[in-house]
Amino acid sequence: MITQEQIDKFIEQAHRVGKERLQLCSSGNLSWRVKDNVALVSGTGSWLPRLAKENVAVCDISAGMRIDGPKPSMESVFHLGVLRRRKDMNVVLHFQSEFATIVSCMENKPENFNVVAEVPCYCGKDIPVIPYYRPGSKELAEAVTEALTDHDCVLMSKHGQAVCGKDFDAAFQKAVFFELACSIIVRAGEGNYMTLTEDEVRDLEVYILGKTPE
């Protein structure tokens, strides 16, 4: 049974997408695992900054099917696919944030997004870029699910970004810092920004993330 408290929290976090200025109009969608096999997903065509109870779908994660509420977002297939694959993750966010979307449309996309320490520390030192597939398509769902199986952030060509996190704060932190990295890359211009070296990334992994030195 889904509680009113869970619905209220989901709506609060949907509105947070607007406050973080991560999407435009109805472009964003999010999901949240509330039980082992049950997730809340924003409804198709809904505007996250003004999401209401009638825009919240309840879905079966393993079956990838709606249980209750409105039709879920057309991207719910990859939301539920990621939650199926990633038992350590409970939130999936996707939106056309301004700078990530600009980068996703570049002909020469960067291979390295590690322009600030927060990217390798929170987003991951490697962020996959997948080809363009039609929004809502089976091909896009499969590509995003596969990319987020062993990464926490993905850039979708000519589309936008998607991230997963253990909770809302973790997911938002990844999305915001990835957007920051993309803004630096766009504003600095090709060939005019620096990235962290491999040694600097390893140093962060040891002293910030607590990994064992190699």
Side-chain angles (χ1 to χ4, degrees):
M1 179 180 177
I2 303 300
T3 67
Q4 185 61 47
E5 183 180 4
Q6 290 168 328
I7 295 288
D8 290 344
K9 180 175 181 179
F10 187 76
I11 291 172
E12 177 187 12
Q13 296 300 317
H15 295 176
R16 181 177 176 184
V17 174
K19 292 175 182 176
E20 298 286 1
R21 304 180 71 179
L22 287 168
Q23 53 75 241
L24 297 170
C25 301
S26 62
S27 66
N29 38 75
L30 79 160
S31 59
W32 175 36
R33 187 200 311 272
V34 292
K35 298 179 182 178
D36 287 344
N37 197 41
V38 178
L40 300 181
V41 182
S42 54
T44 185
S46 56
W47 291 39
L48 296 182
R50 61 190 192 206
L51 196 80
K53 184 176 181 179
E54 59 267 24
N55 307 127
V56 180
V58 183
C59 295
D60 182 298
I61 295 172
S62 60
M65 301 291 289
R66 180 182 67 88
I67 299 172
D68 194 14
K71 182 179 179 180
S73 165
M74 66 179 181
E75 307 293 15
S76 63
V77 179
F78 76 65
H79 281 261
L80 299 175
V82 172
L83 293 176
R84 249 189 327 270
R85 292 271 190 98
R86 296 290 301 271
K87 304 300 184 184
D88 58 327
M89 298 293 171
N90 297 308
V91 174
V92 180
L93 301 174
H94 160 55
F95 22 65
Q96 283 71 54
S97 54
E98 180 180 2
F99 290 99
T101 305
I102 292 171
V103 173
S104 81
C105 296
M106 288 179 174
E107 185 172 354
N108 298 315
K109 297 178 181 63
E111 296 181 0
N112 186 338
F113 291 89
N114 297 319
V115 291
V116 289
E118 287 80 4
V119 175
C121 286
Y122 300 117
C123 306
K125 65 180 180 180
D126 299 309
I127 296 176
V129 178
I130 63 173
Y132 172 80
Y133 297 106
R134 177 179 52 77
S137 67
K138 177 183 176 183
E139 292 80 8
L140 178 65
E142 290 176 347
V144 173
T145 300
E146 186 63 31
L148 292 182
T149 296
D150 50 12
H151 296 84
D152 293 352
C153 301
V154 63
L155 184 71
M156 294 166 278
S157 293
K158 294 180 276 189
H159 192 154
Q161 63 153 305
V163 306
C164 56
K166 65 179 181 179
D167 54 33
F168 284 107
D169 281 349
F172 272 101
Q173 183 162 248
K174 293 167 189 176
V176 169
F177 281 129
F178 184 43
E179 177 70 359
L180 171 63
C182 290
S183 74
I184 293 169
I185 289 167
V186 170
R187 286 170 166 155
E190 186 175 1
N192 196 37
Y193 61 88
M194 297 183 294
T195 57
L196 297 163
T197 66
E198 285 295 324
D199 285 343
E200 289 168 338
V201 170
R202 281 194 291 270
D203 178 68
L204 290 168
E205 290 177 336
V206 172
Y207 291 99
I208 304 298
L209 302 180
K211 293 186 177 181
T212 303
E214 295 180 358

